[in-house]
Amino acid sequence: MPKLKGKVALVTGASRGIGAAIAKRLSADGANVAITYAKDAAAADVVVKAIEANGCKAIAIQADAADAAAISSAVEKAVATLGPLDILVNNAGTAIPKKFEDTTLEELDRVININVRGVFVTTQAALKHMNDKGRIINIGSSVGERMMTPGLVPYSATKGAVKMFTQGLSREVGNRGITVNNVQPGPIDTDLNPAAGDWATPQIAATALGRYGHVDEVAALVAFVASPESSYITGANLTVDGGTNA
Ligand code: NDP
C-alpha cells in the first residue's frame, strides 16, 4: 500500500517549482492534496490534473501568502473538501535579490509577510484541523543557516526565522505526536532561481556536487519527512543543498 494512502496534505505555493514537485510526489505516495497559488490558475490546474492522474483527490485554491484572511479561508476550504489535515507543507516563499541598502520598505514587508508571517498564519489555521501524528514541514533554505550569497540579506533572515519557528513549534505540538521540521534546499532550478545565468555561477561553485539540484530531489526529502518512517524526527533542520553548507 502507498505510504501516504488516505492522508490529506496541504502544500502552499504549489503551482510551479518546488511546491508543485512536492504536491505531485505526495500524491504519488497516495495522499490527497490541496495546493495554494498566487496568480497562475492555469499552472495550478495542471498540478491538480497530475495529482488526480495518481488516483488522488486534489483542489487548487488561490491565496496570497501575504493575505492572512485568504490563507485562513484556504485552509478551511481545503479541510472542507478533503478532510482534516495530516501534512502541511509551508512552501510559498519569495526572494527579491538586491543590495540591502537599496531595498525598499515595501520590498522588506513583502519578503517578511510571505516568508514568515504567511508561515505563522498558515500553521495556526492548519493546527486547528490537524490530526494527531501530523507533519508540519517548512521549506526554509540553506541560506537560513549559512550565508554565502550577497543580495539575499532579508531573504536569508526570513529563512533563519523559519528555522527557529520550526524548532520552537516542535516543543509545543509534540504532545499531539505532531512533528515539525525544516527542509532547507540549496540552489534548485526553478523560476525563482534558474540554473542558467550569471546569478547561478557562484551558487554552483559553492556546492560540493558542482550542480544545481532538481525539484524532485527536494520533494523526495519532503516525502520521507511526511511519511510514517520519520516519526522520531522533529525540530530538525534537514539540508538538501548538494553540499553547499558542508
Ligand atoms: P518559484 O518562484 O519557482 O515558485 C513559487 C510558487 O509559489 C508558485 O507556485 C507561485 O504561484 C507560488 N507563490 C509565489 N508567491 C506566492 C504568494 N505570495 N502566495 C502564495 N503562493 C505564492 O519558487 P521555488 O519553487 O524556487 O521556491 C519554493 C520555496 O523554496 C520558497 O519558499 C523558496 O524560498 C524556497 N527555496 C528555493 C530555493 C531555490 O533555489 N529555488 C532554494 C532554497 C529555498 P504562482 O505561479 O501563482 O505565482
Side-chain angles (χ1 to χ4, degrees):
M1 190 192 284
K3 281 189 288 195
L4 300 179
K5 186 76 187 161
K7 301 285 186 192
V8 173
L10 170 62
V11 186
T12 66
S15 55
R16 294 180 281 120
I18 292 170
I22 292 168
K24 287 187 258 186
R25 173 60 199 261
L26 294 179
S27 71
D29 287 353
N32 299 318
V33 186
I35 65 168
T36 67
Y37 64 96
K39 298 187 192 112
D40 195 342
D45 196 45
V46 171
V47 177
V48 164
K49 295 277 184 326
I51 294 166
E52 289 171 345
N54 285 330
C56 298
K57 292 183 197 151
I59 180 174
I61 306 159
Q62 197 276 331
D64 189 323
D67 180 341
I71 295 170
S72 299
S73 100
V75 171
E76 299 294 328
K77 192 168 178 187
V79 172
T81 308
L82 300 179
L85 301 175
D86 299 292
I87 300 158
L88 168 66
V89 184
N90 280 311
N91 168 78
T94 199
I96 305 174
K98 199 164 186 179
K99 198 159 180 259
F100 179 65
E101 288 175 48
D102 300 333
T103 305
T104 67
L105 186 57
E106 288 70 26
E107 289 166 338
L108 291 176
D109 282 344
R110 182 107 188 116
V111 171
I112 292 168
N113 286 342
I114 294 172
N115 294 5
V116 183
R117 188 170 171 269
V119 172
F120 290 176
V121 174
T122 308
T123 306
Q124 275 185 331
L127 274 169
K128 289 188 196 135
H129 302 285
M130 182 163 276
N131 290 321
D132 288 354
K133 299 188 178 167
R135 299 277 188 269
I136 296 171
I137 302 166
N138 300 316
I139 305 300
S141 170
S142 61
V143 304
E145 246 180 4
R146 291 189 69 194
M147 187 51 188
M148 289 174 276
T149 315
L152 289 176
V153 174
Y155 175 78
S156 65
T158 63
K159 294 300 186 177
V162 168
K163 173 180 181 285
M164 288 314 301
F165 170 68
T166 301
Q167 293 172 222
L169 185 64
S170 71
R171 300 278 181 188
E172 289 198 10
V173 296
N175 59 357
R176 290 169 59 188
I178 295 173
T179 67
V180 191
N181 290 293
N182 179 28
V183 167
Q184 304 186 126
I188 306 297
D189 187 15
T190 65
D191 294 342
L192 186 67
N193 188 7
D198 295 345
W199 177 250
T201 305
Q203 294 185 71
I204 292 168
T207 67
L209 295 177
R211 66 171 178 87
Y212 262 48
H214 190 274
V215 290
D216 291 338
E217 295 176 307
V218 179
L221 177 57
V222 171
F224 171 71
V225 177
S227 78
E229 290 167 291
S230 72
S231 49
Y232 203 54
I233 301 174
T234 195
N237 302 294
L238 305 166
T239 304
V240 49
D241 68 350
T244 300
N245 283 3

